[in-house]
Coordinates of all heavy atoms in Angstrom, one line a residue:
S14 N 0.8 -1.2 0.0 CA 0.0 0.0 0.0 C 0.9 1.2 0.0 O 2.0 1.2 0.5 CB -0.9 0.0 1.2 OG -0.2 0.4 2.4
H15 N 0.4 2.3 -0.5 CA 1.1 3.5 -0.7 C 0.7 4.5 0.4 O -0.5 4.7 0.7 CB 0.9 4.2 -2.0 CG 1.3 3.3 -3.2 ND1 2.6 3.3 -3.6 CD2 0.6 2.4 -3.9 CE1 2.7 2.4 -4.6 NE2 1.5 1.8 -4.8
R16 N 1.7 5.2 1.0 CA 1.4 6.2 2.0 C 1.0 7.5 1.4 O 0.5 8.4 2.1 CB 2.7 6.4 2.9 CG 3.0 5.1 3.6 CD 4.3 5.3 4.4 NE 5.4 5.5 3.4 CZ 6.6 6.0 3.7 NH1 6.8 6.4 5.0 NH2 7.5 6.2 2.8
V17 N 1.4 7.7 0.1 CA 1.1 9.0 -0.6 C 0.1 8.8 -1.7 O 0.3 7.9 -2.6 CB 2.4 9.5 -1.1 CG1 2.1 10.8 -1.9 CG2 3.4 9.8 0.0
M18 N -1.0 9.5 -1.6 CA -2.0 9.5 -2.7 C -2.1 10.9 -3.3 O -2.3 11.9 -2.6 CB -3.3 9.1 -2.0 CG -4.6 9.2 -2.8 SD -4.7 7.7 -3.8 CE -5.7 8.3 -5.2
I19 N -2.0 10.9 -4.6 CA -2.1 12.1 -5.4 C -3.2 12.1 -6.3 O -3.2 11.3 -7.3 CB -0.8 12.4 -6.2 CG1 0.5 12.4 -5.2 CG2 -0.9 13.8 -6.9 CD1 1.8 12.5 -6.0
F20 N -4.2 12.9 -6.1 CA -5.3 13.1 -7.1 C -4.7 14.1 -8.1 O -4.3 15.2 -7.7 CB -6.6 13.6 -6.5 CG -7.2 12.6 -5.5 CD1 -6.8 12.6 -4.2 CD2 -8.0 11.6 -6.0 CE1 -7.4 11.6 -3.3 CE2 -8.5 10.6 -5.2 CZ -8.2 10.6 -3.8
S21 N -4.7 13.7 -9.4 CA -3.9 14.4 -10.4 C -4.7 14.5 -11.7 O -5.8 14.0 -11.8 CB -2.7 13.5 -10.6 OG -1.8 14.0 -11.6
K22 N -4.1 15.3 -12.6 CA -4.6 15.2 -14.0 C -3.4 15.1 -14.9 O -2.3 15.6 -14.6 CB -5.4 16.5 -14.4 CG -6.8 16.5 -13.7 CD -7.7 17.7 -14.2 CE -9.0 17.6 -13.4 NZ -9.9 18.7 -13.8
S23 N -3.5 14.3 -15.9 CA -2.4 13.9 -16.7 C -1.6 15.0 -17.3 O -0.4 15.0 -17.5 CB -2.8 12.9 -17.8 OG -3.7 13.5 -18.7
Y24 N -2.3 16.1 -17.6 CA -1.6 17.3 -18.3 C -1.2 18.4 -17.4 O -0.6 19.4 -17.8 CB -2.6 17.9 -19.3 CG -3.9 18.4 -18.7 CD1 -3.9 19.7 -18.0 CD2 -5.0 17.7 -18.6 CE1 -5.0 20.1 -17.4 CE2 -6.2 18.1 -18.0 CZ -6.1 19.4 -17.4 OH -7.2 19.8 -16.7
C25 N -1.4 18.2 -16.1 CA -1.2 19.3 -15.1 C 0.3 19.4 -14.7 O 0.8 18.5 -14.1 CB -2.1 19.0 -13.9 SG -1.7 20.1 -12.5
P26 N 0.9 20.6 -15.0 CA 2.3 20.8 -14.7 C 2.6 20.7 -13.2 O 3.6 20.3 -12.7 CB 2.7 22.1 -15.3 CG 1.4 22.8 -15.5 CD 0.3 21.8 -15.7
Y27 N 1.6 21.2 -12.4 CA 1.8 21.2 -10.9 C 1.8 19.8 -10.4 O 2.5 19.5 -9.4 CB 0.7 22.1 -10.2 CG 0.6 23.5 -10.7 CD1 -0.3 23.8 -11.7 CD2 1.6 24.4 -10.4 CE1 -0.4 25.1 -12.2 CE2 1.5 25.7 -10.9 CZ 0.5 26.1 -11.8 OH 0.5 27.3 -12.3
C28 N 1.0 18.9 -11.0 CA 1.0 17.5 -10.7 C 2.3 16.9 -11.0 O 2.9 16.1 -10.1 CB -0.1 16.8 -11.4 SG -1.8 17.5 -11.0
N29 N 2.9 17.2 -12.1 CA 4.2 16.6 -12.5 C 5.2 17.1 -11.5 O 6.1 16.3 -11.1 CB 4.6 17.0 -13.9 CG 3.7 16.4 -14.9 OD1 3.2 15.3 -14.7 ND2 3.6 17.0 -16.1
K30 N 5.1 18.4 -11.1 CA 6.1 18.9 -10.2 C 6.1 18.3 -8.8 O 7.1 18.0 -8.2 CB 5.9 20.4 -10.1 CG 7.1 21.2 -9.5 CD 6.8 22.7 -9.4 CE 7.8 23.3 -8.4 NZ 7.4 24.6 -7.9
V31 N 4.8 18.0 -8.3 CA 4.7 17.4 -7.0 C 5.1 15.9 -7.0 O 5.7 15.4 -6.1 CB 3.3 17.6 -6.4 CG1 2.3 16.5 -6.8 CG2 3.3 17.8 -4.9
K32 N 4.8 15.2 -8.2 CA 5.3 13.8 -8.3 C 6.9 13.8 -8.3 O 7.5 12.9 -7.7 CB 4.8 13.2 -9.6 CG 3.3 13.0 -9.6 CD 2.8 12.6 -11.0 CE 1.3 12.5 -11.1 NZ 0.8 12.4 -12.5
E33 N 7.5 14.8 -9.0 CA 8.9 14.9 -9.0 C 9.5 15.0 -7.6 O 10.6 14.5 -7.3 CB 9.3 16.1 -9.9 CG 10.8 16.3 -10.0 CD 11.6 15.1 -10.5 OE1 11.1 14.3 -11.3 OE2 12.7 15.0 -10.0
L34 N 8.8 15.8 -6.7 CA 9.3 15.9 -5.4 C 9.4 14.6 -4.7 O 10.3 14.2 -4.1 CB 8.4 16.9 -4.6 CG 8.8 17.0 -3.1 CD1 10.2 17.6 -2.9 CD2 7.7 17.9 -2.3
F35 N 8.3 13.8 -4.8 CA 8.2 12.5 -4.1 C 9.2 11.5 -4.8 O 9.9 10.8 -4.1 CB 6.8 11.9 -4.2 CG 5.9 12.6 -3.2 CD1 4.8 13.4 -3.7 CD2 6.1 12.5 -1.8 CE1 4.0 14.0 -2.8 CE2 5.2 13.2 -0.9 CZ 4.2 13.9 -1.4
R36 N 9.4 11.6 -6.1 CA 10.4 10.8 -6.7 C 11.8 11.1 -6.2 O 12.6 10.2 -5.9 CB 10.4 10.9 -8.2 CG 9.3 10.1 -8.9 CD 9.6 9.9 -10.4 NE 9.5 11.2 -11.1 CZ 8.4 11.7 -11.6 NH1 7.2 11.1 -11.5 NH2 8.4 12.9 -12.2
S37 N 12.1 12.4 -6.0 CA 13.4 12.9 -5.5 C 13.6 12.4 -4.1 O 14.8 12.2 -3.7 CB 13.5 14.4 -5.6 OG 12.8 15.0 -4.6
M38 N 12.5 12.2 -3.3 CA 12.6 11.7 -2.0 C 12.7 10.2 -1.9 O 12.7 9.6 -0.8 CB 11.4 12.3 -1.2 CG 11.4 13.8 -1.0 SD 9.8 14.3 -0.2 CE 10.2 13.8 1.5
R39 N 12.5 9.6 -3.1 CA 12.5 8.1 -3.2 C 11.2 7.6 -2.4 O 11.3 6.6 -1.7 CB 13.7 7.4 -2.7 CG 15.0 7.9 -3.4 CD 15.0 7.4 -4.8 NE 16.3 7.7 -5.5 CZ 16.5 8.7 -6.3 NH1 15.6 9.6 -6.5 NH2 17.7 8.8 -6.9
V40 N 10.1 8.3 -2.5 CA 8.9 8.0 -1.8 C 7.9 7.5 -2.9 O 7.6 8.3 -3.8 CB 8.3 9.1 -1.0 CG1 6.9 8.8 -0.5 CG2 9.3 9.4 0.2
E41 N 7.4 6.3 -2.7 CA 6.4 5.8 -3.7 C 5.1 6.6 -3.5 O 4.7 6.9 -2.4 CB 6.1 4.3 -3.4 CG 7.0 3.4 -4.1 CD 6.5 2.0 -4.0 OE1 5.7 1.6 -4.9 OE2 6.9 1.3 -3.0
Y42 N 4.4 6.8 -4.6 CA 3.1 7.4 -4.5 C 2.1 6.7 -5.4 O 2.5 6.0 -6.4 CB 3.1 8.9 -4.9 CG 3.7 9.2 -6.2 CD1 2.9 9.0 -7.4 CD2 5.0 9.5 -6.4 CE1 3.4 9.3 -8.6 CE2 5.6 9.8 -7.6 CZ 4.8 9.6 -8.8 OH 5.3 9.8 -10.0
Y43 N 0.8 6.8 -5.1 CA -0.2 6.4 -6.1 C -0.9 7.6 -6.6 O -1.3 8.5 -5.9 CB -1.2 5.5 -5.4 CG -2.2 5.0 -6.4 CD1 -2.0 3.9 -7.2 CD2 -3.5 5.6 -6.5 CE1 -2.9 3.4 -8.1 CE2 -4.4 5.2 -7.5 CZ -4.1 4.1 -8.3 OH -5.0 3.7 -9.2
A44 N -0.9 7.8 -7.9 CA -1.6 8.9 -8.5 C -2.8 8.5 -9.3 O -2.7 7.5 -10.1 CB -0.6 9.6 -9.5
L45 N -3.9 9.1 -9.0 CA -5.2 8.8 -9.7 C -5.4 10.0 -10.7 O -5.5 11.1 -10.2 CB -6.4 8.7 -8.8 CG -7.7 8.4 -9.4 CD1 -7.7 7.0 -10.1 CD2 -8.8 8.5 -8.5
E46 N -5.3 9.7 -12.0 CA -5.5 10.7 -13.0 C -7.0 11.0 -13.3 O -7.6 10.2 -13.9 CB -4.7 10.3 -14.3 CG -3.3 9.9 -14.1 CD -2.4 11.1 -13.5 OE1 -2.8 12.2 -13.6 OE2 -1.3 10.8 -13.0
L47 N -7.5 12.1 -12.7 CA -8.9 12.3 -12.7 C -9.4 12.5 -14.1 O -10.6 12.3 -14.4 CB -9.3 13.5 -11.8 CG -9.0 13.3 -10.3 CD1 -9.4 14.6 -9.6 CD2 -9.7 12.1 -9.8
D48 N -8.6 13.0 -15.0 CA -9.1 13.3 -16.4 C -9.1 12.1 -17.3 O -9.6 12.2 -18.4 CB -8.2 14.4 -17.0 CG -6.7 14.0 -17.1 OD1 -6.2 13.3 -16.2 OD2 -6.1 14.5 -18.1
V49 N -8.6 11.0 -16.8 CA -8.6 9.8 -17.7 C -9.5 8.7 -17.1 O -9.5 7.6 -17.6 CB -7.2 9.2 -18.0 CG1 -6.4 10.3 -18.7 CG2 -6.5 8.7 -16.8
T50 N -10.2 9.0 -16.0 CA -11.2 8.0 -15.4 C -12.6 8.6 -15.6 O -12.8 9.8 -15.5 CB -10.8 7.7 -14.0 OG1 -11.7 6.7 -13.5 CG2 -10.9 8.9 -13.1
D51 N -13.5 7.7 -15.8 CA -14.9 8.1 -16.0 C -15.5 8.9 -14.8 O -16.4 9.7 -15.0 CB -15.8 6.9 -16.3 CG -15.5 6.3 -17.7 OD1 -15.0 7.0 -18.5 OD2 -15.9 5.2 -17.9
D52 N -15.1 8.5 -13.6 CA -15.6 9.1 -12.4 C -14.8 10.3 -11.9 O -15.1 10.8 -10.8 CB -15.6 8.0 -11.3 CG -16.5 6.9 -11.6 OD1 -17.6 7.1 -12.1 OD2 -16.1 5.7 -11.3
G53 N -13.9 10.8 -12.8 CA -13.0 11.9 -12.4 C -13.7 13.1 -11.9 O -13.4 13.7 -10.8
A54 N -14.8 13.5 -12.6 CA -15.5 14.8 -12.2 C -16.2 14.6 -10.8 O -16.2 15.5 -10.0 CB -16.5 15.1 -13.3
S55 N -16.8 13.4 -10.6 CA -17.4 13.1 -9.3 C -16.4 13.1 -8.2 O -16.7 13.6 -7.1 CB -18.2 11.8 -9.4 OG -18.9 11.7 -10.5
I56 N -15.3 12.5 -8.4 CA -14.2 12.4 -7.4 C -13.8 13.8 -7.1 O -13.6 14.2 -5.9 CB -13.1 11.5 -7.9 CG1 -13.6 10.1 -8.0 CG2 -11.9 11.6 -6.9 CD1 -12.6 9.1 -8.7
Q57 N -13.6 14.7 -8.1 CA -13.1 16.0 -7.9 C -14.1 16.8 -7.1 O -13.8 17.6 -6.2 CB -12.8 16.7 -9.2 CG -12.1 18.0 -9.1 CD -11.6 18.6 -10.5 OE1 -11.9 18.0 -11.5 NE2 -10.8 19.6 -10.4
Q58 N -15.4 16.6 -7.3 CA -16.5 17.2 -6.5 C -16.4 16.8 -5.1 O -16.5 17.7 -4.2 CB -17.8 16.9 -7.1 CG -19.0 17.5 -6.4 CD -19.0 19.0 -6.4 OE1 -18.6 19.6 -7.3 NE2 -19.4 19.6 -5.3
V59 N -16.2 15.5 -4.8 CA -16.1 15.1 -3.4 C -14.9 15.6 -2.8 O -14.9 16.1 -1.6 CB -16.1 13.5 -3.4 CG1 -15.7 13.0 -2.0 CG2 -17.4 12.9 -3.9
L60 N -13.8 15.7 -3.5 CA -12.5 16.3 -2.9 C -12.7 17.7 -2.6 O -12.3 18.2 -1.5 CB -11.4 16.2 -3.9 CG -10.8 14.8 -4.1 CD1 -9.9 14.7 -5.3 CD2 -10.0 14.4 -2.8
A61 N -13.5 18.5 -3.4 CA -13.7 19.9 -3.2 C -14.5 20.0 -1.9 O -14.3 20.9 -1.0 CB -14.5 20.5 -4.3
E62 N -15.5 19.1 -1.7 CA -16.3 19.2 -0.5 C -15.5 18.8 0.8 O -15.7 19.4 1.8 CB -17.6 18.3 -0.6 CG -18.6 18.8 -1.6 CD -19.6 17.8 -2.1 OE1 -19.6 16.6 -1.5 OE2 -20.4 18.1 -3.0
L63 N -14.7 17.8 0.6 CA -13.9 17.3 1.8 C -12.8 18.2 2.2 O -12.4 18.4 3.4 CB -13.4 15.9 1.5 CG -14.3 14.7 1.5 CD1 -13.6 13.5 1.1 CD2 -14.9 14.5 2.9
T64 N -12.1 18.8 1.2 CA -10.8 19.5 1.4 C -10.9 21.0 1.1 O -9.9 21.7 1.3 CB -9.7 18.9 0.6 OG1 -9.9 19.2 -0.8 CG2 -9.6 17.4 0.8
N65 N -12.0 21.4 0.6 CA -12.2 22.8 0.2 C -11.2 23.2 -0.8 O -10.8 24.4 -1.0 CB -12.0 23.7 1.5 CG -12.8 25.0 1.4 OD1 -13.9 25.0 0.7 ND2 -12.4 26.0 2.0
Q66 N -10.7 22.2 -1.6 CA -9.8 22.4 -2.7 C -10.3 21.7 -3.9 O -10.4 20.5 -3.9 CB -8.4 21.9 -2.3 CG -7.3 22.1 -3.3 CD -6.1 21.3 -3.1 OE1 -5.7 21.2 -1.9 NE2 -5.5 20.8 -4.1
R67 N -10.5 22.5 -5.0 CA -10.9 21.9 -6.2 C -9.8 21.5 -7.2 O -10.0 20.7 -8.1 CB -11.9 22.9 -6.9 CG -12.5 22.4 -8.3 CD -13.7 23.2 -8.7 NE -14.9 22.9 -7.9 CZ -15.6 21.8 -8.1 NH1 -15.3 20.9 -9.0 NH2 -16.6 21.5 -7.3
T68 N -8.7 22.2 -7.0 CA -7.6 22.0 -8.0 C -6.8 20.7 -7.7 O -6.8 20.2 -6.6 CB -6.6 23.2 -7.9 OG1 -6.1 23.3 -6.5 CG2 -7.2 24.5 -8.4
V69 N -6.1 20.3 -8.8 CA -5.2 19.2 -8.7 C -3.8 19.8 -8.8 O -3.6 20.8 -9.5 CB -5.4 18.1 -9.7 CG1 -6.7 17.3 -9.4 CG2 -5.5 18.7 -11.1
P70 N -2.7 19.2 -8.3 CA -2.8 18.0 -7.4 C -3.4 18.3 -6.1 O -3.4 19.4 -5.6 CB -1.3 17.7 -7.2 CG -0.6 19.0 -7.3 CD -1.4 19.8 -8.3
N71 N -4.0 17.2 -5.6 CA -4.5 17.2 -4.2 C -3.9 16.0 -3.5 O -4.2 14.8 -3.9 CB -6.1 17.1 -4.2 CG -6.7 17.6 -2.9 OD1 -6.0 17.5 -1.9 ND2 -7.9 18.0 -2.9
V72 N -3.0 16.3 -2.5 CA -2.1 15.3 -2.0 C -2.5 14.9 -0.6 O -2.8 15.8 0.3 CB -0.7 15.9 -2.0 CG1 0.3 14.9 -1.3 CG2 -0.2 16.2 -3.4
F73 N -2.5 13.6 -0.3 CA -2.8 13.0 1.0 C -1.6 12.2 1.4 O -1.0 11.4 0.6 CB -4.0 12.2 1.0 CG -5.3 12.9 0.8 CD1 -5.7 13.3 -0.4 CD2 -6.1 13.2 1.9 CE1 -6.9 14.1 -0.6 CE2 -7.3 13.9 1.7 CZ -7.7 14.3 0.4
V74 N -1.1 12.3 2.7 CA 0.0 11.5 3.2 C -0.5 10.7 4.4 O -0.9 11.4 5.4 CB 1.2 12.3 3.5 CG1 2.3 11.4 4.2 CG2 1.8 12.9 2.3
N75 N -0.5 9.5 4.4 CA -1.0 8.6 5.5 C -2.4 9.1 6.0 O -2.7 9.2 7.2 CB 0.0 8.6 6.7 CG 1.2 7.9 6.3 OD1 1.2 6.9 5.6 ND2 2.3 8.3 6.8
G76 N -3.3 9.5 5.0 CA -4.6 9.9 5.3 C -4.8 11.4 5.7 O -5.9 11.8 5.9
T77 N -3.7 12.1 5.8 CA -3.7 13.5 6.2 C -3.7 14.3 4.9 O -2.9 14.1 4.0 CB -2.5 13.9 7.1 OG1 -2.6 13.2 8.3 CG2 -2.5 15.4 7.3
H78 N -4.6 15.3 4.8 CA -4.7 16.2 3.7 C -3.5 17.2 3.7 O -3.4 17.9 4.7 CB -6.0 16.9 3.6 CG -6.1 17.8 2.5 ND1 -6.3 19.2 2.6 CD2 -6.0 17.6 1.1 CE1 -6.4 19.7 1.4 NE2 -6.2 18.8 0.5
I79 N -2.7 17.2 2.7 CA -1.6 18.2 2.6 C -2.0 19.4 1.8 O -1.8 20.5 2.2 CB -0.3 17.6 2.0 CG1 0.0 16.3 2.7 CG2 0.8 18.5 2.0 CD1 0.4 16.4 4.1
G80 N -2.6 19.2 0.6 CA -3.0 20.3 -0.3 C -2.4 20.1 -1.7 O -2.2 19.0 -2.1
G81 N -2.2 21.2 -2.3 CA -1.7 21.2 -3.7 C -0.2 21.2 -3.8 O 0.5 20.8 -2.8
C82 N 0.3 21.5 -4.9 CA 1.7 21.5 -5.2 C 2.5 22.5 -4.3 O 3.4 22.1 -3.6 CB 2.0 21.9 -6.7 SG 3.7 21.9 -7.1
D83 N 2.0 23.7 -4.2 CA 2.7 24.7 -3.3 C 2.7 24.3 -1.9 O 3.7 24.3 -1.2 CB 2.0 26.1 -3.5 CG 2.1 26.7 -4.9 OD1 2.9 26.2 -5.6 OD2 1.3 27.6 -5.1
A84 N 1.6 23.8 -1.4 CA 1.4 23.4 0.0 C 2.4 22.2 0.3 O 2.9 22.1 1.4 CB 0.0 23.0 0.4
T85 N 2.5 21.3 -0.7 CA 3.3 20.1 -0.5 C 4.8 20.5 -0.4 O 5.6 20.0 0.4 CB 3.1 19.1 -1.6 OG1 1.7 18.7 -1.6 CG2 3.9 17.8 -1.3
Y86 N 5.2 21.4 -1.3 CA 6.6 21.9 -1.2 C 6.9 22.7 0.1 O 7.9 22.6 0.7 CB 7.0 22.8 -2.5 CG 7.5 21.9 -3.6 CD1 6.6 21.3 -4.5 CD2 8.9 21.8 -3.8 CE1 7.1 20.5 -5.5 CE2 9.3 21.0 -4.9 CZ 8.5 20.4 -5.7 OH 9.0 19.6 -6.8
Q87 N 5.9 23.4 0.5 CA 6.0 24.2 1.8 C 6.2 23.2 2.9 O 7.0 23.4 3.8 CB 4.7 25.0 2.0 CG 4.8 25.9 3.2 CD 6.0 26.8 3.3 OE1 6.2 27.5 2.3 NE2 6.8 26.7 4.3
A88 N 5.4 22.1 2.9 CA 5.5 21.1 4.0 C 6.8 20.4 3.9 O 7.4 20.0 5.0 CB 4.4 20.0 3.8
Y89 N 7.4 20.3 2.7 CA 8.7 19.7 2.6 C 9.8 20.7 3.2 O 10.7 20.3 3.9 CB 9.1 19.4 1.1 CG 10.5 19.0 0.9 CD1 10.8 17.7 1.2 CD2 11.4 19.9 0.5 CE1 12.2 17.3 1.0 CE2 12.8 19.5 0.3 CZ 13.1 18.2 0.6 OH 14.4 17.8 0.5
Q90 N 9.6 22.0 2.8 CA 10.5 23.0 3.3 C 10.5 23.1 4.8 O 11.6 23.2 5.5 CB 10.2 24.4 2.7 CG 10.4 24.5 1.2 CD 11.9 24.3 0.8 OE1 12.8 24.6 1.6 NE2 12.1 23.8 -0.4
D91 N 9.4 23.0 5.5 CA 9.3 23.1 6.9 C 9.5 21.8 7.7 O 9.5 21.8 8.9 CB 8.1 23.9 7.4 CG 6.8 23.1 7.2 OD1 6.8 21.9 7.2 OD2 5.7 23.8 7.1
G92 N 9.6 20.7 6.9 CA 9.9 19.4 7.5 C 8.7 18.6 7.9 O 8.8 17.5 8.3
S93 N 7.5 19.2 7.8 CA 6.3 18.5 8.3 C 6.0 17.3 7.4 O 5.4 16.3 7.8 CB 5.1 19.4 8.4 OG 4.9 20.1 7.2
L94 N 6.3 17.4 6.1 CA 6.1 16.3 5.1 C 6.9 15.1 5.5 O 6.4 14.0 5.6 CB 6.4 16.8 3.7 CG 6.2 15.7 2.6 CD1 4.7 15.3 2.5 CD2 6.7 16.3 1.3
Q95 N 8.2 15.3 5.8 CA 9.1 14.2 6.2 C 8.6 13.6 7.5 O 8.6 12.4 7.7 CB 10.5 14.7 6.4 CG 11.2 15.2 5.1 CD 11.0 16.7 4.8 OE1 9.9 17.2 5.1 NE2 12.0 17.3 4.2
K96 N 8.1 14.4 8.4 CA 7.6 13.9 9.7 C 6.4 13.0 9.5 O 6.3 11.9 10.1 CB 7.2 15.1 10.6 CG 7.3 14.9 12.0 CD 7.2 16.2 12.8 CE 8.0 16.2 14.0 NZ 8.1 17.6 14.6
L97 N 5.5 13.4 8.6 CA 4.3 12.6 8.3 C 4.7 11.3 7.6 O 4.0 10.3 7.8 CB 3.4 13.4 7.3 CG 2.3 14.3 8.0 CD1 1.6 15.1 6.9 CD2 1.4 13.5 8.9
L98 N 5.7 11.4 6.8 CA 6.1 10.1 6.1 C 6.9 9.2 7.0 O 7.0 8.0 6.7 CB 7.0 10.5 4.9 CG 6.3 11.1 3.7 CD1 7.3 11.8 2.8 CD2 5.5 10.0 3.0
G99 N 7.4 9.7 8.1 CA 8.2 8.8 9.0 C 9.7 9.0 8.8 O 10.1 9.9 8.1
E100 N 10.4 8.2 9.5 CA 11.9 8.3 9.5 C 12.5 7.7 8.3 O 11.8 7.2 7.4 CB 12.4 7.6 10.8 CG 11.8 8.0 12.1 CD 12.0 9.5 12.3 OE1 13.1 10.0 12.0 OE2 11.1 10.2 12.9
N101 N 13.8 7.8 8.2 CA 14.6 7.2 7.1 C 14.3 7.8 5.7 O 14.3 7.1 4.7 CB 14.4 5.7 7.0 CG 14.6 5.1 8.4 OD1 15.6 5.4 9.0 ND2 13.8 4.1 8.8
Q102 N 13.9 9.1 5.7 CA 13.7 9.7 4.4 C 14.9 10.5 4.1 O 15.5 11.2 4.9 CB 12.4 10.6 4.5 CG 11.1 9.9 4.7 CD 10.9 8.8 3.7 OE1 11.1 9.1 2.5 NE2 10.4 7.7 4.1
I103 N 15.2 10.6 2.8 CA 16.3 11.5 2.3 C 15.7 12.9 2.4 O 14.6 13.2 2.0 CB 16.6 11.1 0.8 CG1 17.2 9.7 0.7 CG2 17.6 12.1 0.3 CD1 17.2 9.2 -0.7
T104 N 16.5 13.8 3.0 CA 16.0 15.1 3.3 C 16.4 16.1 2.2 O 15.7 17.2 2.1 CB 16.5 15.6 4.6 OG1 17.9 15.5 4.7 CG2 15.9 14.8 5.8
E105 N 17.4 15.8 1.4 CA 17.7 16.7 0.3 C 17.2 16.2 -1.0 O 17.5 15.0 -1.4 CB 19.2 16.9 0.2 CG 19.8 17.7 1.3 CD 19.2 19.1 1.4 OE1 19.1 19.8 0.3 OE2 18.9 19.6 2.5
P106 N 16.4 16.9 -1.8 CA 15.9 16.4 -3.0 C 17.0 16.4 -4.1 O 17.9 17.3 -4.0 CB 14.8 17.4 -3.5 CG 15.2 18.7 -2.8 CD 15.9 18.3 -1.5
Y107 N 17.0 15.5 -5.0 CA 18.0 15.5 -6.1 C 17.5 16.6 -7.1 O 16.3 16.8 -7.3 CB 18.0 14.1 -6.8 CG 18.6 13.0 -5.9 CD1 17.7 12.3 -5.1 CD2 19.9 12.8 -5.8 CE1 18.2 11.3 -4.3 CE2 20.4 11.9 -5.0 CZ 19.6 11.1 -4.2 OH 20.1 10.1 -3.4
E108 N 18.5 17.2 -7.7 CA 18.1 18.3 -8.7 C 17.7 17.6 -10.0 O 18.1 16.5 -10.3 CB 19.3 19.2 -8.9 CG 19.7 20.0 -7.7 CD 18.5 20.8 -7.1 OE1 17.7 21.3 -7.9 OE2 18.5 20.9 -5.9
Ligands
LIG213 N1 -1.3 26.6 -6.8 C1 -1.9 25.3 -7.2 C2 -1.0 24.2 -6.6 O1 0.0 24.5 -6.0 O2 -1.4 23.0 -6.6 C3 -2.0 25.2 -8.7 C4 -2.9 24.0 -9.1 C5 -3.6 24.2 -10.4 O3 -3.8 25.4 -10.9 N2 -4.1 23.2 -11.1 C6 -5.0 23.2 -12.2 C7 -6.4 22.9 -11.8 O4 -6.7 22.0 -11.0 C8 -4.6 22.2 -13.3 S1 -2.9 22.6 -13.9 N3 -7.4 23.5 -12.5 C9 -8.8 23.2 -12.2 C10 -9.3 21.9 -12.8 O5 -8.5 21.2 -13.5 O6 -10.4 21.5 -12.5

């Protein structure tokens, strides 16, 4: 099972950027591409109601809502993302 869930759209540059952060951290994620699934619009509506955020990416770590690309990088910068992910994480992203 994956600790990181990314609600995404296949063409979204912010989604690619947030996936790149997790790849650089060597953290596996599961990405659901809302624009290529029949239920994408319904899922996006539920996400908007649950998280007050309609945009993608919409990132969850171990069930905790993080937010979009900017919020996820912010959580990385302040260390709260690594804390949520647990120990043994690489703290410097690869360029
Ligand atoms: N500042 C946001 C972040 O950091 O995540 C930008 C996210 C954003 O603008 N995403 C666009 C979006 O979700 C797609 S590239 N637009 C509305 C939609 O696709 O329904």
Side-chain angles (χ1 to χ4, degrees):
S14 78
H15 299 274
R16 297 172 297 162
V17 177
M18 174 79 202
I19 305 173
F20 294 92
S21 177
K22 289 186 182 180
S23 60
Y24 60 80
C25 170
Y27 305 101
C28 299
N29 291 334
K30 200 181 158 198
V31 89
K32 290 170 189 171
E33 178 56 34
L34 175 63
F35 287 112
R36 279 198 296 271
S37 75
M38 296 172 76
R39 303 294 188 261
V40 170
E41 272 191 90
Y42 56 80
Y43 182 83
L45 182 65
E46 307 297 343
L47 297 178
D48 60 327
V49 301
T50 184
D51 288 342
D52 296 322
S55 310
I56 293 168
Q57 193 169 6
Q58 178 61 34
V59 172
L60 285 169
E62 290 164 7
L63 283 176
T64 68
N65 211 27
Q66 180 193 325
R67 177 165 289 281
T68 55
V69 289
N71 199 335
V72 177
F73 293 78
V74 175
N75 290 325
T77 296
H78 180 239
I79 307 299
C82 180
D83 294 343
T85 304
Y86 271 81
Q87 183 56 53
Y89 175 78
Q90 292 297 333
D91 70 24
S93 57
L94 181 62
Q95 294 88 326
K96 210 165 213 171
L97 273 175
L98 285 164
E100 305 302 322
N101 307 319
Q102 297 301 320
I103 298 165
T104 51
E105 288 300 316
Y107 294 94
E108 295 305 324

